[in-house]
Amino acid sequence: MNENQYITIEELCQLYEIEAEFIEELKENELIQVVQEEEKLCVPVTEIQNIEKIQSFYYDLEINIAGIDAIFNLLNQIDEMKQEMNDMKRKLDLLQNNSL
């Protein structure tokens, strides 16, 4: 296992003081990616930031998994719209510069 890319679910649960069942529920709802490396279930380290957000929503704000899923979907849509707006601004700038 490339230890720089993955953290075992066991380590993750100890580090963040969460239950393995919580991670399994997140996986089942496709909120995080879980992979098997060397016969251990692991989470890519790139997922840690999402897990921290989810943990805060779930435990601190008491938002259920369905609500968290909706929040993440809306945040992804906002990110996509921001990217589209930036692309359109660049195109508009090019058009304005070419017409001068």
Side-chain angles (χ1 to χ4, degrees):
M1 173 178 8
N2 187 337
E3 294 174 12
N4 293 328
Q5 294 180 348
Y6 299 100
I7 182 170
T8 67
I9 289 180
E10 182 180 315
E11 292 170 326
L12 185 70
C13 290
Q14 288 175 352
L15 183 64
Y16 288 96
E17 298 177 355
I18 53 179
E19 300 292 324
E21 292 80 18
F22 180 68
I23 298 297
E24 181 61 31
E25 190 173 359
L26 298 180
K27 176 186 171 242
E28 287 173 4
N29 285 279
E30 299 179 0
L31 289 170
I32 62 168
Q33 178 186 9
V34 175
V35 296
Q36 187 159 348
E37 290 285 323
E38 295 181 12
E39 299 182 24
K40 290 185 179 184
L41 291 176
C42 301
V43 175
V45 293
T46 56
E47 293 282 7
I48 290 176
Q49 187 176 16
N50 282 339
I51 292 170
E52 290 173 347
K53 287 179 189 175
I54 293 168
Q55 180 185 19
S56 177
F57 289 152
Y58 189 80
Y59 291 108
D60 299 338
L61 301 176
E62 298 180 0
I63 299 173
N64 66 20
I65 297 297
I68 293 169
D69 186 37
I71 289 168
F72 272 62
N73 285 332
L74 290 171
L75 290 172
N76 285 336
Q77 288 178 6
I78 290 169
D79 287 342
E80 289 172 7
M81 291 170 68
K82 283 180 182 178
Q83 183 61 46
E84 287 178 24
M85 283 181 47
N86 287 335
D87 291 345
M88 285 188 247
K89 284 179 184 178
R90 276 194 296 276
K91 288 178 184 178
L92 181 60
D93 287 343
L94 282 173
L95 287 172
Q96 288 175 337
N97 288 337
N98 286 336
S99 66
L100 295 178

